[in-house]
Amino acid sequence: MSSIFTRIINSEIPAYKVAEDEHYLAFLDINPIAKGHTLVIPKTEVDYIFDLDHDTLSGLMVFCKKVARAIEQVVPCDRIGVTVIGLEVPHAHVHLIPIDHIHDMDFSKPKLGFSPDEFEAIAASIRDRVNQAS
Ligand code: 5GP
């Protein structure tokens, strides 16, 4: 059975995609802890990030950098926090989260709610910045 993220890659379920290439995909987290909270995944379905081969892992971080630069331009913040948890979805993913303070990385706080139009507007803005940089 494919992971939910593989199903997003294959467009079997929808997502607010912000960047994609042959090997990686970035899309908004559906239960964000900050505006612009984005997940970046390798298209290869591997559960644990440190089971990725060297090239896929290093490429993932370079792809994250491109997406983070775009998020920075859309969401005012001090920087983009980076974290890997992976306890919920068994498909390696990096969380990119606009932050100003350490508590902005607190996953136990209430999630933000956005309408579909708001999610799409955020994704489109980030996508535009990614495309401008390419
Ligand atoms: P983790 O595995 O890192 O503990 O958490 C998984 C993250 O994926 C959570 O932040 C959760 O909100 C997000 N997530 C889970 N299912 C979906 C989904 O179907 N679509 C999107 N966009 N995000 C999801």
Side-chain angles (χ1 to χ4, degrees), residues 68-86:
R69 292 295 191 212
I71 299 171
E72 285 167 355
Q73 294 176 56
V74 172
V75 182
C77 61
D78 182 70
R79 62 189 55 223
I80 303 299
V82 181
T83 193
V84 176
I85 303 172

Side-chain angles (χ1 to χ4, degrees), residues 4-5 8 13 15 27-31 37 39 85-89 93 95 107:
I4 196 149
F5 290 170
I8 287 173
I13 58 173
F27 52 95
L28 298 182
D29 194 299
I30 204 66
N31 288 306
H37 180 173
L39 303 175
I85 303 172
L87 292 173
E88 183 185 327
V89 178
H93 53 282
H95 294 258
F107 277 76

Side-chain angles (χ1 to χ4, degrees), residues 5 8 19 22 32 36 40 42 70 73 78 86 94 100 107 116-117 130 132:
F5 290 170
I8 287 173
E22 187 185 351
V40 187
Q73 294 176 56
D78 182 70
V94 177
D100 293 299
F107 277 76
D117 283 351
V130 169
Q132 283 166 14

Side-chain angles (χ1 to χ4, degrees), residues 40-114:
V40 187
I41 63 174
K43 290 189 171 177
T44 307
E45 186 179 322
V46 169
D47 175 1
Y48 185 39
I49 194 164
F50 293 128
D51 285 333
L52 292 172
D53 64 72
H54 291 186
D55 287 347
T56 305
L57 178 59
S58 52
L60 177 65
M61 291 313 293
V62 173
F63 196 82
C64 283
K65 177 178 175 179
K66 184 166 78 167
V67 176
R69 292 295 191 212
I71 299 171
E72 285 167 355
Q73 294 176 56
V74 172
V75 182
C77 61
D78 182 70
R79 62 189 55 223
I80 303 299
V82 181
T83 193
V84 176
I85 303 172
L87 292 173
E88 183 185 327
V89 178
H91 185 139
H93 53 282
V94 177
H95 294 258
L96 299 179
I97 304 166
I99 58 170
D100 293 299
H101 307 283
I102 183 69
H103 55 256
D104 294 333
M105 295 290 284
D106 180 0
F107 277 76
S108 65
K109 67 183 184 181
K111 305 299 186 280
L112 300 181
F114 294 109

